[in-house]
Amino acid sequence: MSKIIVITSGKGGVGKTTTSAAFATGLALRDYKTIVIDFDVGLRNLDLVMGCERRVVYDFINVINGEANINQALIKDKRVENLFILPASQTRNKDALTLKGIARVLEELKKNFDYIICDSPAGIEHGAIMAMYFADEALIVTNPEVSSVRDSDRIIGMLSSKTRRAMQKMPPIKEHLLITRYEQKRVNKGEMLSIKDVEEILAIPLLGVIPESLEILKASNSGVPITYNKETDAGQAYLDVVARFLGEEPPKRKKKGFFRRWFGRKL
Amino acid sequence: MRFIEHIFSLFSSQKSAKLAKERLQIIVTHDRRKRRYLPLLQQELLDVVRKYASIDDDDIKIHLEKQGNYEVLEMNIALPK
Ligand SMILES: Nc1ncnc2c1ncn2[C@@H]1O[C@H](COP(=O)(O)OP(=O)(O)O)[C@@H](O)[C@H]1O
Ligand SMILES: [Mg+2]
Protein backbone atom coordinates (compact mmCIF):
# COMPACT_ATOMS: atom_id res chain seq x y z
CA MET A 1 0.00 0.00 0.00
CA SER A 2 1.48 3.30 -0.99
CA LYS A 3 1.32 6.33 1.26
CA ILE A 4 1.18 10.04 0.48
CA ILE A 5 3.05 12.24 2.95
CA VAL A 6 2.97 16.04 2.89
CA ILE A 7 5.83 18.09 4.31
CA THR A 8 4.15 21.30 5.42
CA SER A 9 4.50 24.26 7.81
CA GLY A 10 2.67 27.43 6.88
CA LYS A 11 5.72 29.58 7.42
CA GLY A 12 8.45 29.75 4.78
CA GLY A 13 12.12 29.04 5.31
CA VAL A 14 11.64 26.62 8.21
CA GLY A 15 13.13 23.58 6.45
CA LYS A 16 10.36 21.90 4.41
CA THR A 17 12.43 21.41 1.27
CA THR A 18 15.47 20.34 3.29
CA THR A 19 13.26 17.85 5.12
CA SER A 20 11.57 16.60 1.94
CA ALA A 21 14.95 15.85 0.37
CA ALA A 22 16.41 14.27 3.51
CA PHE A 23 13.31 12.24 4.39
CA ALA A 24 12.73 10.94 0.86
CA THR A 25 16.40 9.99 0.56
CA GLY A 26 16.25 8.27 3.95
CA LEU A 27 13.24 6.18 2.91
CA ALA A 28 14.93 5.21 -0.37
CA LEU A 29 18.09 4.24 1.54
CA ARG A 30 15.84 1.86 3.46
CA ASP A 31 14.82 0.29 0.14
CA TYR A 32 11.38 1.83 -0.18
CA LYS A 33 10.50 3.04 -3.63
CA THR A 34 10.06 6.75 -3.07
CA ILE A 35 9.16 9.79 -5.09
CA VAL A 36 9.39 13.38 -3.94
CA ILE A 37 7.22 15.99 -5.66
CA ASP A 38 7.94 19.72 -5.63
CA PHE A 39 4.62 21.56 -5.14
CA ASP A 40 6.34 24.94 -4.89
CA VAL A 41 5.32 25.91 -8.40
CA GLY A 42 6.95 29.13 -9.57
CA LEU A 43 9.95 28.76 -7.28
CA ARG A 44 11.33 25.24 -7.69
CA ASN A 45 14.11 24.51 -5.24
CA LEU A 46 13.86 20.83 -4.51
CA ASP A 47 15.85 19.93 -7.65
CA LEU A 48 18.73 22.11 -6.42
CA VAL A 49 18.73 20.62 -2.94
CA MET A 50 18.65 17.13 -4.48
CA GLY A 51 21.40 18.01 -6.97
CA CYS A 52 19.46 17.20 -10.14
CA GLU A 53 18.68 20.72 -11.42
CA ARG A 54 20.48 20.19 -14.70
CA ARG A 55 18.49 17.12 -15.59
CA VAL A 56 15.05 18.75 -15.48
CA VAL A 57 13.28 18.50 -18.83
CA TYR A 58 9.59 18.28 -18.04
CA ASP A 59 7.88 19.22 -14.79
CA PHE A 60 4.83 18.50 -12.64
CA ILE A 61 2.65 21.06 -14.46
CA ASN A 62 3.57 19.59 -17.85
CA VAL A 63 2.32 16.24 -16.57
CA ILE A 64 -0.86 17.75 -15.10
CA ASN A 65 -1.58 19.47 -18.42
CA GLY A 66 -0.86 16.32 -20.41
CA GLU A 67 2.11 17.92 -22.18
CA ALA A 68 4.35 15.09 -21.00
CA ASN A 69 3.77 11.72 -19.41
CA ILE A 70 5.02 10.89 -15.96
CA ASN A 71 7.92 8.77 -17.13
CA GLN A 72 9.24 11.66 -19.20
CA ALA A 73 9.14 14.02 -16.23
CA LEU A 74 10.47 11.77 -13.46
CA ILE A 75 14.14 12.19 -12.65
CA LYS A 76 15.90 9.17 -11.24
CA ASP A 77 18.29 9.99 -8.43
CA LYS A 78 21.92 9.24 -9.30
CA ARG A 79 23.01 8.19 -5.84
CA VAL A 80 20.39 5.85 -4.51
CA GLU A 81 18.19 3.26 -6.16
CA ASN A 82 14.46 3.66 -5.73
CA LEU A 83 14.48 7.46 -5.48
CA PHE A 84 12.77 9.73 -7.99
CA ILE A 85 12.07 13.46 -8.19
CA LEU A 86 9.19 15.24 -9.89
CA PRO A 87 10.26 18.89 -10.20
CA ALA A 88 8.04 21.97 -10.10
CA SER A 89 7.58 24.36 -12.96
CA GLN A 90 9.39 27.66 -12.77
CA THR A 91 7.36 29.48 -15.34
CA ARG A 92 3.79 28.86 -14.17
CA ASN A 93 2.09 29.95 -11.02
CA LYS A 94 0.37 27.89 -8.36
CA ASP A 95 -3.06 28.21 -9.98
CA ALA A 96 -1.85 25.71 -12.57
CA LEU A 97 -2.26 23.09 -9.85
CA THR A 98 -5.73 21.57 -10.05
CA LEU A 99 -7.23 18.91 -7.81
CA LYS A 100 -8.28 16.85 -10.78
CA GLY A 101 -4.83 16.98 -12.38
CA ILE A 102 -3.05 16.18 -9.12
CA ALA A 103 -5.44 13.30 -8.41
CA ARG A 104 -4.68 11.75 -11.77
CA VAL A 105 -0.91 12.02 -11.33
CA LEU A 106 -1.03 10.63 -7.79
CA GLU A 107 -3.19 7.69 -8.83
CA GLU A 108 -0.63 6.79 -11.45
CA LEU A 109 2.29 7.15 -9.04
CA LYS A 110 0.56 5.03 -6.40
CA LYS A 111 0.85 2.02 -8.68
CA ASN A 112 4.63 2.21 -8.61
CA PHE A 113 5.73 3.81 -5.37
CA ASP A 114 5.71 2.96 -1.67
CA TYR A 115 6.00 6.56 -0.56
CA ILE A 116 4.98 9.77 -2.30
CA ILE A 117 6.46 12.82 -0.55
CA CYS A 118 4.88 16.22 -1.28
CA ASP A 119 7.07 19.26 -0.59
CA SER A 120 4.56 22.03 0.17
CA PRO A 121 5.02 25.70 -0.65
CA ALA A 122 4.81 28.19 2.22
CA GLY A 123 1.55 29.94 3.06
CA ILE A 124 -1.97 28.78 3.79
CA GLU A 125 -3.41 29.36 0.35
CA HIS A 126 -4.07 27.39 -2.82
CA GLY A 127 -0.58 25.91 -3.28
CA ALA A 128 -0.35 24.65 0.30
CA ILE A 129 -3.86 23.19 0.13
CA MET A 130 -3.04 21.39 -3.13
CA ALA A 131 0.05 19.83 -1.54
CA MET A 132 -1.84 18.54 1.52
CA TYR A 133 -5.17 17.64 -0.08
CA PHE A 134 -4.58 13.95 -0.81
CA ALA A 135 -2.17 13.25 2.06
CA ASP A 136 -2.42 10.21 4.34
CA GLU A 137 0.18 11.55 6.74
CA ALA A 138 1.78 14.93 7.40
CA LEU A 139 5.13 16.08 8.74
CA ILE A 140 4.60 19.50 10.28
CA VAL A 141 7.96 21.24 10.16
CA THR A 142 8.25 23.73 12.98
CA ASN A 143 11.03 25.98 14.24
CA PRO A 144 11.05 26.74 17.98
CA GLU A 145 9.97 30.31 17.41
CA VAL A 146 6.62 32.12 17.82
CA SER A 147 5.52 32.73 14.24
CA SER A 148 6.49 29.25 13.07
CA VAL A 149 4.57 27.59 15.92
CA ARG A 150 1.48 29.70 15.30
CA ASP A 151 1.54 28.95 11.57
CA SER A 152 1.95 25.24 12.29
CA ASP A 153 -1.17 25.38 14.40
CA ARG A 154 -3.10 26.94 11.52
CA ILE A 155 -1.80 24.27 9.18
CA ILE A 156 -2.95 21.59 11.63
CA GLY A 157 -6.39 23.21 11.49
CA MET A 158 -6.36 23.02 7.70
CA LEU A 159 -5.24 19.39 7.67
CA SER A 160 -8.37 18.55 9.61
CA SER A 161 -10.77 20.61 7.50
CA LYS A 162 -9.55 21.29 3.97
CA THR A 163 -8.24 17.91 2.88
CA ARG A 164 -9.80 14.92 1.18
CA ARG A 165 -9.73 12.84 4.35
CA ALA A 166 -11.57 15.59 6.21
CA MET A 167 -14.13 16.30 3.52
CA GLN A 168 -14.95 12.69 2.80
CA LYS A 169 -15.13 11.94 6.53
CA MET A 170 -12.39 9.33 6.28
CA PRO A 171 -9.96 8.60 9.15
CA PRO A 172 -7.95 11.81 9.70
CA ILE A 173 -4.47 12.52 8.36
CA LYS A 174 -1.83 11.17 10.73
CA GLU A 175 0.16 14.14 11.98
CA HIS A 176 3.81 14.18 13.02
CA LEU A 177 5.63 17.09 14.60
CA LEU A 178 9.16 17.70 13.33
CA ILE A 179 11.07 20.40 15.16
CA THR A 180 13.96 21.77 13.11
CA ARG A 181 16.72 24.34 13.63
CA TYR A 182 16.73 23.51 17.31
CA GLU A 183 19.50 24.92 19.49
CA GLN A 184 19.83 23.28 22.89
CA LYS A 185 22.26 25.96 24.08
CA ARG A 186 19.75 28.71 23.53
CA VAL A 187 17.01 26.67 25.15
CA ASN A 188 19.22 26.24 28.21
CA LYS A 189 19.65 29.99 28.35
CA GLY A 190 15.90 30.52 28.18
CA GLU A 191 16.11 32.22 24.80
CA MET A 192 14.40 29.57 22.72
CA LEU A 193 11.22 27.53 23.13
CA SER A 194 12.02 24.00 24.28
CA ILE A 195 10.91 20.76 22.63
CA LYS A 196 8.40 20.32 25.45
CA ASP A 197 7.02 23.85 24.98
CA VAL A 198 6.35 23.28 21.28
CA GLU A 199 4.88 19.83 21.92
CA GLU A 200 2.58 21.23 24.58
CA ILE A 201 1.28 24.04 22.40
CA LEU A 202 0.74 22.05 19.22
CA ALA A 203 -0.35 18.82 20.94
CA ILE A 204 0.59 16.42 18.16
CA PRO A 205 3.05 13.50 18.46
CA LEU A 206 6.72 14.36 18.07
CA LEU A 207 8.57 12.49 15.34
CA GLY A 208 11.97 14.07 15.84
CA VAL A 209 14.20 17.06 16.39
CA ILE A 210 16.76 18.33 13.89
CA PRO A 211 19.44 20.60 15.35
CA GLU A 212 20.50 23.86 13.78
CA SER A 213 23.51 22.82 11.76
CA LEU A 214 26.01 24.35 9.39
CA GLU A 215 26.22 20.99 7.67
CA ILE A 216 22.74 21.53 6.25
CA LEU A 217 23.93 24.61 4.42
CA LYS A 218 26.92 22.64 3.10
CA ALA A 219 24.61 19.85 1.99
CA SER A 220 22.34 22.15 0.03
CA ASN A 221 25.32 24.04 -1.38
CA SER A 222 26.58 20.81 -2.87
CA GLY A 223 23.17 19.32 -3.73
CA VAL A 224 23.62 16.22 -1.59
CA PRO A 225 20.81 15.57 0.92
CA ILE A 226 22.08 15.59 4.51
CA THR A 227 20.93 12.01 5.11
CA TYR A 228 23.94 10.77 3.11
CA ASN A 229 26.17 12.13 5.81
CA LYS A 230 25.35 10.20 8.96
CA GLU A 231 28.51 11.49 10.58
CA THR A 232 26.74 14.80 11.08
CA ASP A 233 24.28 15.42 13.92
CA ALA A 234 21.63 16.66 11.51
CA GLY A 235 22.10 13.76 9.07
CA GLN A 236 21.82 11.23 11.89
CA ALA A 237 18.79 13.08 13.28
CA TYR A 238 17.02 12.75 9.92
CA LEU A 239 17.91 9.05 9.69
CA ASP A 240 16.43 8.61 13.17
CA VAL A 241 13.30 10.41 12.01
CA VAL A 242 12.97 7.95 9.13
CA ALA A 243 13.51 5.00 11.50
CA ARG A 244 10.86 6.28 13.91
CA PHE A 245 8.50 6.90 11.03
CA LEU A 246 8.96 3.25 10.08
CA GLY A 247 8.00 2.27 13.62
CA GLU A 248 11.48 1.61 15.03
CA GLU A 249 12.96 3.08 18.16
CA PRO A 250 16.48 4.34 17.38
CA PRO A 251 18.93 4.59 20.28
CA LYS A 252 18.97 7.78 22.31
CA ARG A 253 21.81 9.97 21.11
CA LYS A 254 23.87 12.14 23.37
CA LYS A 255 25.05 15.34 21.90
CA LYS A 256 28.73 15.04 21.08
CA GLY A 257 30.82 16.83 23.66
CA PHE A 258 33.88 18.91 22.99
CA PHE A 259 36.32 16.03 23.20
CA ARG A 260 34.40 13.67 21.01
CA ARG A 261 33.85 16.33 18.45
CA TRP A 262 37.55 17.05 18.23
CA PHE A 263 39.08 13.68 18.78
CA GLY A 264 36.33 11.31 17.79
CA ARG A 265 35.57 12.51 14.32
CA LYS A 266 36.52 10.56 11.27
CA LEU A 267 39.51 11.81 9.33
CA MET B 1 29.49 24.16 31.06
CA ARG B 2 25.78 23.93 31.55
CA PHE B 3 26.16 25.02 35.17
CA ILE B 4 27.94 28.18 34.10
CA GLU B 5 25.24 28.91 31.55
CA HIS B 6 22.64 28.60 34.28
CA ILE B 7 24.47 30.97 36.54
CA PHE B 8 24.66 33.49 33.72
CA SER B 9 21.02 33.20 32.86
CA LEU B 10 20.13 34.05 36.45
CA PHE B 11 21.46 37.49 35.76
CA SER B 12 19.54 38.13 32.57
CA SER B 13 16.40 40.00 33.56
CA GLN B 14 13.81 37.98 31.64
CA LYS B 15 13.57 34.59 30.03
CA SER B 16 12.12 35.42 26.67
CA ALA B 17 11.26 31.79 25.85
CA LYS B 18 8.88 31.71 28.81
CA LEU B 19 7.15 34.83 27.56
CA ALA B 20 6.98 33.37 24.05
CA LYS B 21 5.28 30.27 25.37
CA GLU B 22 2.70 32.24 27.36
CA ARG B 23 1.85 34.46 24.40
CA LEU B 24 1.61 31.48 22.06
CA GLN B 25 -0.72 29.60 24.37
CA ILE B 26 -3.12 32.54 24.42
CA ILE B 27 -3.11 33.25 20.70
CA VAL B 28 -3.28 29.62 19.64
CA THR B 29 -6.28 28.99 21.92
CA HIS B 30 -7.96 32.07 20.43
CA ASP B 31 -7.18 30.95 16.85
CA ARG B 32 -8.56 27.49 17.52
CA ARG B 33 -11.79 28.73 19.04
CA LYS B 34 -12.35 30.89 16.00
CA ARG B 35 -11.70 28.05 13.59
CA ARG B 36 -14.16 25.77 15.33
CA TYR B 37 -16.94 28.27 15.67
CA LEU B 38 -18.00 28.55 12.04
CA PRO B 39 -18.49 24.85 11.25
CA LEU B 40 -20.28 24.42 14.60
CA LEU B 41 -22.56 27.37 13.93
CA GLN B 42 -23.28 26.02 10.48
CA GLN B 43 -24.16 22.60 11.85
CA GLU B 44 -26.41 24.02 14.54
CA LEU B 45 -28.23 26.31 12.13
CA LEU B 46 -28.69 23.37 9.82
CA ASP B 47 -30.28 21.39 12.63
CA VAL B 48 -32.64 24.24 13.48
CA VAL B 49 -33.76 24.81 9.89
CA ARG B 50 -34.26 21.09 9.44
CA LYS B 51 -36.96 21.15 12.08
CA TYR B 52 -39.07 23.12 9.63
CA ALA B 53 -37.84 22.28 6.13
CA SER B 54 -35.93 19.46 4.57
CA ILE B 55 -32.63 20.77 3.22
CA ASP B 56 -29.28 19.27 2.31
CA ASP B 57 -25.95 19.94 3.96
CA ASP B 58 -24.85 22.22 1.14
CA ASP B 59 -28.10 24.18 0.94
CA ILE B 60 -26.69 26.39 3.63
CA LYS B 61 -23.75 28.67 2.90
CA ILE B 62 -21.94 30.70 5.50
CA HIS B 63 -19.33 33.37 4.93
CA LEU B 64 -17.34 35.41 7.36
CA GLU B 65 -15.90 38.57 5.93
CA LYS B 66 -13.65 41.14 7.52
CA GLN B 67 -14.71 44.74 6.97
CA GLY B 68 -12.43 47.16 8.70
CA ASN B 69 -12.93 46.78 12.43
CA TYR B 70 -15.73 44.28 12.39
CA GLU B 71 -16.70 41.04 10.73
CA VAL B 72 -19.81 40.35 8.72
CA LEU B 73 -21.45 36.97 8.87
CA GLU B 74 -23.32 36.25 5.68
CA MET B 75 -25.68 33.33 5.47
CA ASN B 76 -27.65 31.86 2.60
CA ILE B 77 -30.20 29.12 2.97
CA ALA B 78 -31.79 27.61 -0.10
CA LEU B 79 -35.26 26.36 0.86
CA PRO B 80 -37.11 23.83 -1.26
CA LYS B 81 -40.28 25.09 -2.99
N1 LIG C 1 18.47 22.29 10.63
C1 LIG C 1 18.93 23.34 9.92
N2 LIG C 1 20.05 23.99 10.30
C2 LIG C 1 20.52 25.04 9.59
N3 LIG C 1 19.96 25.52 8.49
C3 LIG C 1 18.83 24.93 8.04
C4 LIG C 1 18.24 23.82 8.73
N4 LIG C 1 17.12 23.44 8.04
C5 LIG C 1 17.02 24.27 7.00
N5 LIG C 1 18.04 25.18 6.99
C6 LIG C 1 18.27 26.25 6.01
O1 LIG C 1 17.15 27.12 6.03
C7 LIG C 1 16.87 27.62 4.73
C8 LIG C 1 15.44 27.32 4.36
O2 LIG C 1 15.26 25.92 4.27
P1 LIG C 1 14.22 25.25 3.27
O3 LIG C 1 14.31 23.78 3.47
O4 LIG C 1 14.40 25.76 1.89
O5 LIG C 1 12.86 25.81 3.89
P2 LIG C 1 11.38 25.84 3.29
O6 LIG C 1 11.31 24.80 2.21
O7 LIG C 1 10.51 25.55 4.46
O8 LIG C 1 11.16 27.22 2.77
C9 LIG C 1 17.88 26.97 3.81
O9 LIG C 1 18.94 27.86 3.58
C10 LIG C 1 18.34 25.76 4.58
O10 LIG C 1 19.66 25.40 4.22
MG1 LIG D 1 10.66 24.95 0.16
Side-chain angles (χ1 to χ4, degrees):
Chain A
M1 251 282 282
S2 76
K3 259 187 198 158
I4 302 175
I5 301 149
V6 61
I7 315 294
T8 185
S9 72
K11 193 175 182 205
V14 297
K16 289 180 293 297
T17 301
T18 304
T19 298
S20 299
F23 188 65
T25 302
L27 287 169
L29 286 169
R30 299 290 303 268
D31 294 331
Y32 290 99
K33 205 162 175 210
T34 305
I35 176 163
V36 52
I37 307 177
D38 191 349
F39 273 78
D40 206 348
V41 175
L43 287 177
R44 184 160 113 192
N45 283 319
L46 183 67
D47 53 340
L48 265 177
V49 176
M50 303 275 301
C52 64
E53 70 280 4
R54 291 171 62 185
R55 294 196 287 140
V56 174
V57 183
Y58 293 108
D59 59 55
F60 191 21
I61 302 296
N62 291 139
V63 181
I64 285 179
N65 291 345
E67 295 150 3
N69 66 42
I70 291 186
N71 293 327
Q72 289 174 299
L74 285 189
I75 302 173
K76 189 178 180 320
D77 190 82
K78 282 209 165 136
R79 299 184 191 90
V80 56
E81 274 297 302
N82 291 325
L83 181 58
F84 291 79
I85 299 115
L86 184 53
S89 165
Q90 247 174 339
T91 52
R92 313 286 177 83
N93 66 38
K94 292 181 177 57
D95 296 333
L97 292 168
T98 61
L99 277 187
K100 233 174 125 186
I102 297 167
R104 207 194 68 236
V105 176
L106 290 179
E107 272 319 305
E108 182 116 14
L109 291 173
K110 271 182 166 179
K111 293 181 206 152
N112 285 310
F113 288 93
D114 299 312
Y115 290 108
I116 301 170
I117 312 298
C118 305
D119 180 17
S120 174
I124 53 171
E125 276 102 39
H126 183 73
I129 296 177
M130 293 299 106
M132 69 169 60
Y133 192 83
F134 294 101
D136 300 306
E137 304 199 22
L139 262 60
I140 294 127
V141 181
T142 308
N143 294 166
E145 169 269 320
V146 281
S147 55
S148 174
V149 174
R150 186 190 192 182
D151 285 359
S152 289
D153 185 67
R154 295 165 86 181
I155 283 290
I156 293 168
M158 288 167 62
L159 287 168
S160 60
S161 64
K162 299 217 185 308
T163 54
R164 179 182 67 123
R165 280 178 173 272
M167 295 197 182
Q168 298 178 2
K169 304 212 160 63
M170 296 159 68
I173 292 175
K174 190 169 175 195
E175 299 159 335
H176 308 272
L177 173 61
L178 183 68
I179 299 177
T180 63
R181 311 201 71 158
Y182 185 78
E183 292 176 83
Q184 188 61 53
K185 259 197 183 143
R186 298 184 61 194
V187 172
N188 293 344
K189 286 188 196 158
E191 294 172 358
M192 183 180 261
L193 291 164
S194 69
I195 299 168
K196 193 168 137 271
D197 292 339
V198 180
E199 269 187 289
E200 261 179 53
I201 294 162
L202 293 178
I204 58 171
L206 180 71
L207 184 63
V209 180
I210 312 297
E212 171 76 21
S213 156
L214 263 179
E215 301 295 332
I216 296 226
L217 188 61
K218 285 192 207 160
S220 65
N221 280 344
S222 47
V224 182
I226 190 74
T227 12
Y228 283 114
N229 193 346
K230 61 171 188 276
E231 300 301 323
T232 62
D233 287 353
Q236 187 59 60
Y238 272 116
L239 289 169
D240 288 349
V241 162
V242 170
R244 246 175 259 123
F245 182 84
L246 296 171
E248 300 159 14
E249 191 40 60
K252 271 227 166 3
R253 295 183 202 283
K254 280 232 174 75
K255 194 166 161 37
K256 285 183 188 162
F258 175 80
F259 283 98
R260 274 195 55 206
R261 225 180 298 159
W262 282 90
F263 301 109
R265 69 176 165 191
K266 283 213 169 135
L267 295 172
Chain B
M1 196 63 201
R2 200 169 279 180
F3 176 70
I4 293 172
E5 271 168 24
H6 272 294
I7 297 285
F8 264 91
S9 67
L10 288 179
F11 293 104
S12 68
S13 54
Q14 190 185 39
K15 299 232 175 175
S16 62
K18 193 160 169 273
L19 188 60
K21 187 182 182 188
E22 287 163 7
R23 290 176 58 225
L24 268 170
Q25 273 167 332
I26 293 166
I27 193 66
V28 160
T29 310
H30 178 260
D31 286 349
R32 283 181 191 158
R33 205 169 286 149
K34 228 171 155 184
R35 277 203 303 266
R36 285 215 187 106
Y37 137 143
L38 266 196
L40 287 181
L41 177 67
Q42 176 156 356
Q43 190 54 50
E44 237 173 280
L45 284 169
L46 199 64
D47 292 343
V48 172
V49 177
R50 274 208 183 121
K51 283 188 185 168
Y52 305 96
S54 86
I55 58 168
D56 277 339
D57 276 12
D58 13 304
D59 285 340
I60 184 162
K61 297 248 162 19
I62 292 191
H63 261 293
L64 193 66
E65 209 176 292
K66 242 198 156 92
Q67 292 188 357
N69 268 338
Y70 50 90
E71 288 173 331
V72 175
L73 184 71
E74 201 182 87
M75 183 171 64
N76 265 299
I77 306 173
L79 292 174
K81 277 193 186 153

PDB file of all heavy atoms in Angstrom, chain A residues 13 15-18 38 40 45-46 119-122, ligand 2:
ATOM      1  N   GLY A  13      10.733  29.038   4.844  1.00  0.00           N
ATOM      2  CA  GLY A  13      12.120  29.043   5.312  1.00  0.00           C
ATOM      3  C   GLY A  13      12.372  28.251   6.580  1.00  0.00           C
ATOM      4  O   GLY A  13      13.394  28.426   7.227  1.00  0.00           O
ATOM      5  N   GLY A  15      12.418  24.838   6.725  1.00  0.00           N
ATOM      6  CA  GLY A  15      13.133  23.582   6.447  1.00  0.00           C
ATOM      7  C   GLY A  15      12.283  22.513   5.765  1.00  0.00           C
ATOM      8  O   GLY A  15      12.620  21.327   5.824  1.00  0.00           O
ATOM      9  N   LYS A  16      11.205  22.895   5.106  1.00  0.00           N
ATOM     10  CA  LYS A  16      10.357  21.902   4.414  1.00  0.00           C
ATOM     11  C   LYS A  16      11.106  21.211   3.281  1.00  0.00           C
ATOM     12  O   LYS A  16      11.085  19.982   3.173  1.00  0.00           O
ATOM     13  CB  LYS A  16       9.112  22.572   3.796  1.00  0.00           C
ATOM     14  CG  LYS A  16       8.090  23.037   4.783  1.00  0.00           C
ATOM     15  CD  LYS A  16       6.906  23.675   4.071  1.00  0.00           C
ATOM     16  CE  LYS A  16       7.265  24.977   3.382  1.00  0.00           C
ATOM     17  NZ  LYS A  16       7.711  26.044   4.273  1.00  0.00           N
ATOM     18  N   THR A  17      11.750  22.002   2.429  1.00  0.00           N
ATOM     19  CA  THR A  17      12.430  21.412   1.275  1.00  0.00           C
ATOM     20  C   THR A  17      13.625  20.572   1.734  1.00  0.00           C
ATOM     21  O   THR A  17      13.842  19.455   1.243  1.00  0.00           O
ATOM     22  CB  THR A  17      12.852  22.514   0.292  1.00  0.00           C
ATOM     23  OG1 THR A  17      11.662  23.201  -0.119  1.00  0.00           O
ATOM     24  CG2 THR A  17      13.552  21.950  -0.919  1.00  0.00           C
ATOM     25  N   THR A  18      14.360  21.097   2.708  1.00  0.00           N
ATOM     26  CA  THR A  18      15.469  20.340   3.293  1.00  0.00           C
ATOM     27  C   THR A  18      14.957  19.002   3.836  1.00  0.00           C
ATOM     28  O   THR A  18      15.552  17.941   3.604  1.00  0.00           O
ATOM     29  CB  THR A  18      16.083  21.151   4.464  1.00  0.00           C
ATOM     30  OG1 THR A  18      16.473  22.436   3.969  1.00  0.00           O
ATOM     31  CG2 THR A  18      17.264  20.443   5.073  1.00  0.00           C
ATOM     32  N   ASP A  38       7.831  18.309  -5.990  1.00  0.00           N
ATOM     33  CA  ASP A  38       7.943  19.723  -5.627  1.00  0.00           C
ATOM     34  C   ASP A  38       6.636  20.445  -5.969  1.00  0.00           C
ATOM     35  O   ASP A  38       6.311  20.633  -7.137  1.00  0.00           O
ATOM     36  CB  ASP A  38       9.115  20.352  -6.390  1.00  0.00           C
ATOM     37  CG  ASP A  38       9.460  21.742  -5.877  1.00  0.00           C
ATOM     38  OD1 ASP A  38       8.671  22.291  -5.087  1.00  0.00           O
ATOM     39  OD2 ASP A  38      10.525  22.274  -6.267  1.00  0.00           O
ATOM     40  N   ASP A  40       6.083  23.503  -4.969  1.00  0.00           N
ATOM     41  CA  ASP A  40       6.340  24.942  -4.887  1.00  0.00           C
ATOM     42  C   ASP A  40       6.462  25.525  -6.295  1.00  0.00           C
ATOM     43  O   ASP A  40       7.527  26.000  -6.712  1.00  0.00           O
ATOM     44  CB  ASP A  40       7.605  25.202  -4.068  1.00  0.00           C
ATOM     45  CG  ASP A  40       7.582  26.580  -3.425  1.00  0.00           C
ATOM     46  OD1 ASP A  40       6.711  27.397  -3.808  1.00  0.00           O
ATOM     47  OD2 ASP A  40       8.423  26.840  -2.554  1.00  0.00           O
ATOM     48  N   ASN A  45      12.820  24.602  -5.917  1.00  0.00           N
ATOM     49  CA  ASN A  45      14.109  24.512  -5.239  1.00  0.00           C
ATOM     50  C   ASN A  45      14.528  23.095  -4.916  1.00  0.00           C
ATOM     51  O   ASN A  45      15.698  22.833  -4.684  1.00  0.00           O
ATOM     52  CB  ASN A  45      14.058  25.315  -3.930  1.00  0.00           C
ATOM     53  CG  ASN A  45      14.173  26.781  -4.209  1.00  0.00           C
ATOM     54  OD1 ASN A  45      14.966  27.193  -5.068  1.00  0.00           O
ATOM     55  ND2 ASN A  45      13.378  27.584  -3.524  1.00  0.00           N
ATOM     56  N   LEU A  46      13.566  22.207  -4.898  1.00  0.00           N
ATOM     57  CA  LEU A  46      13.863  20.827  -4.513  1.00  0.00           C
ATOM     58  C   LEU A  46      14.940  20.207  -5.408  1.00  0.00           C
ATOM     59  O   LEU A  46      15.843  19.521  -4.931  1.00  0.00           O
ATOM     60  CB  LEU A  46      12.577  19.996  -4.577  1.00  0.00           C
ATOM     61  CG  LEU A  46      12.705  18.554  -4.133  1.00  0.00           C
ATOM     62  CD1 LEU A  46      12.993  18.465  -2.643  1.00  0.00           C
ATOM     63  CD2 LEU A  46      11.438  17.787  -4.472  1.00  0.00           C
ATOM     64  N   ASP A 119       6.404  18.093  -1.193  1.00  0.00           N
ATOM     65  CA  ASP A 119       7.067  19.256  -0.592  1.00  0.00           C
ATOM     66  C   ASP A 119       6.169  20.481  -0.805  1.00  0.00           C
ATOM     67  O   ASP A 119       6.040  20.990  -1.908  1.00  0.00           O
ATOM     68  CB  ASP A 119       8.436  19.459  -1.267  1.00  0.00           C
ATOM     69  CG  ASP A 119       9.194  20.654  -0.695  1.00  0.00           C
ATOM     70  OD1 ASP A 119       8.837  21.118   0.406  1.00  0.00           O
ATOM     71  OD2 ASP A 119      10.144  21.126  -1.361  1.00  0.00           O
ATOM     72  N   SER A 120       5.544  20.945   0.267  1.00  0.00           N
ATOM     73  CA  SER A 120       4.557  22.027   0.171  1.00  0.00           C
ATOM     74  C   SER A 120       5.226  23.395   0.029  1.00  0.00           C
ATOM     75  O   SER A 120       6.298  23.631   0.583  1.00  0.00           O
ATOM     76  CB  SER A 120       3.684  22.038   1.425  1.00  0.00           C
ATOM     77  OG  SER A 120       2.821  23.149   1.418  1.00  0.00           O
ATOM     78  N   PRO A 121       4.569  24.311  -0.707  1.00  0.00           N
ATOM     79  CA  PRO A 121       5.021  25.701  -0.654  1.00  0.00           C
ATOM     80  C   PRO A 121       4.620  26.314   0.682  1.00  0.00           C
ATOM     81  O   PRO A 121       3.794  25.752   1.409  1.00  0.00           O
ATOM     82  CB  PRO A 121       4.255  26.357  -1.802  1.00  0.00           C
ATOM     83  CG  PRO A 121       3.042  25.523  -1.997  1.00  0.00           C
ATOM     84  CD  PRO A 121       3.422  24.123  -1.591  1.00  0.00           C
ATOM     85  N   ALA A 122       5.183  27.487   1.001  1.00  0.00           N
ATOM     86  CA  ALA A 122       4.805  28.195   2.220  1.00  0.00           C
ATOM     87  C   ALA A 122       3.397  28.757   2.048  1.00  0.00           C
ATOM     88  O   ALA A 122       2.828  28.720   0.956  1.00  0.00           O
ATOM     89  CB  ALA A 122       5.802  29.311   2.485  1.00  0.00           C
TER      90      ALA A 122
HETATM   91 MG    MG C   2      10.656  24.951   0.164  1.00  0.00          MG
END
